[in-house]
Amino acid sequence: MVRNLAVFALIPLALGACSRTGEIDANGGGAGVTAVRSACPHVAIPAGTGDMTIFNPATSRESSAIDVNAVMTNVTSTCDDAGQQVVTTVNFDVLARRQSDDGARDVSFPYFVTVVRGGTSVVAKRINRVTVHFEPGQLRAQTSGTATTYVDRSAATLPDEVRKRLTEKRKAGEQAAAMDPLADPSIRGAVLSATFEALVGFQLTEDQLKYNVTR
């Protein structure tokens, strides 16, 4: 399952934590590329893992066999990057719907939180559960969940020489002024290596993931 998560968390999110704007000073004063970057990871739900469908019977994929469906939503995060560890707390809601409102029922949904480095490398993963309680006669219910990730601040910090390349001043007319520092593979690689994502989603089986992707 880790392999699948890495595929769905590819490069489109990798630079989300690093935005930049650049302006060449035509008056000759010189300007660099202003790199706005945080050590806090980008938080997201990987594609295909934001909802879970339970069937009865379990082997059926007919709509008439859907027992319970749950959606993960309202993902928010708080990040503390003041210490040696960058600590990110992820909060989310789970909205669930069942087909039958007979009696009270608790349904437990497994979910994961994983830390991805450079867009493809899963460096940590934990699995937990969140339980939704249905009262008798109730078709819809919801609950909240939380997860915490830890990243070494040193790993999420750009080397001085890379930061210098990104912010060095350039003059209009110079060849270097027209070059994006991230076009240099070594610079881009360093930025990716220091870029982390905290991803949360339902822990799905291969069949459940396939159902979400292909339906």
Side-chain angles (χ1 to χ4, degrees), residues 45 54 87 142 144 162 173 190 202:
I45 300 175
I54 299 173
V87 183
Q142 71 178 76
S144 299
V162 173
F202 289 115

Side-chain angles (χ1 to χ4, degrees), residues 1-9 46-47 49 122 204-206 209:
M1 188 60 189
V2 170
R3 180 178 301 173
N4 286 330
L5 292 176
V7 170
F8 286 111
T49 67
V122 177
L204 305 174
T205 65
E206 293 289 344
L209 182 60

Side-chain angles (χ1 to χ4, degrees), residues 112-133:
F112 67 86
V113 58
T114 186
V115 177
V116 177
R117 184 176 191 175
T120 57
S121 178
V122 177
V123 297
K125 181 181 179 182
R126 289 187 298 277
I127 298 175
N128 208 333
R129 285 184 170 270
V130 61
T131 299
V132 176
H133 175 73

